[in-house]
Amino acid sequence: PNVISQRGNEDNLSRWVNAEWAKADAQGAPSHLYEANLQIVCEDGIGVIAGISMTLADMKVSISSINTAVGKGGNMIVNIVVGCKNLSHYNAIVSRLNAVPKVVSVIRGFSK
């Protein structure tokens, strides 16, 4: 009742703002994913990229972009862009990637 009565009061019009909530999918998860750039330093070797991509697939994390380069000391640098729902999802992704064999570190990457 207060909303209805105050909504018509011209003195209070500046206090009202339009708001929208994010839509959810059928399971209640947010339908929007944020792009997260990650830089993974790992030992070079056969199957490293497969291990990273399988870990992300197991978590049902989409990969938007991936590229590799040779780093210092023969390590491989993997720059990857993934879709994540929120900060806790991002932290779970980083934690799982750190557990992949031959992964040395996972840090926040930066888009170019």
Side-chain angles (χ1 to χ4, degrees):
N2 291 338
V3 170
I4 294 169
S5 67
Q6 293 300 310
R7 184 87 170 142
N9 184 340
E10 299 248 349
D11 294 335
N12 292 328
L13 288 179
S14 64
R15 296 179 68 193
W16 294 95
V17 294
N18 290 325
E20 294 181 21
W21 279 258
K23 295 180 179 160
D25 63 14
Q27 289 78 33
S31 60
H32 179 72
L33 293 177
Y34 300 96
E35 284 191 346
N37 297 292
L38 299 171
Q39 186 176 80
I40 305 167
V41 177
C42 49
E43 298 171 15
D44 195 6
I46 296 171
V48 176
I49 299 296
I52 291 169
S53 62
M54 286 177 21
T55 298
L56 294 172
D58 287 345
M59 295 181 73
K60 297 185 179 11
V61 172
S62 64
I63 299 172
S64 302
S65 169
I66 186 168
N67 66 55
T68 63
V70 177
K72 294 179 181 174
N75 282 339
M76 182 171 37
I77 308 293
V78 180
N79 291 301
I80 191 166
V81 180
V82 297
C84 66
K85 300 172 193 168
N86 52 38
L87 184 58
S88 63
H89 188 222
Y90 170 83
N91 288 334
I93 292 167
V94 170
S95 177
R96 289 280 299 272
L97 288 173
N98 272 313
V100 173
K102 297 192 177 186
V103 167
V104 176
S105 67
V106 181
I107 60 171
R108 179 178 166 211
F110 298 96
S111 59
K112 295 179 182 180

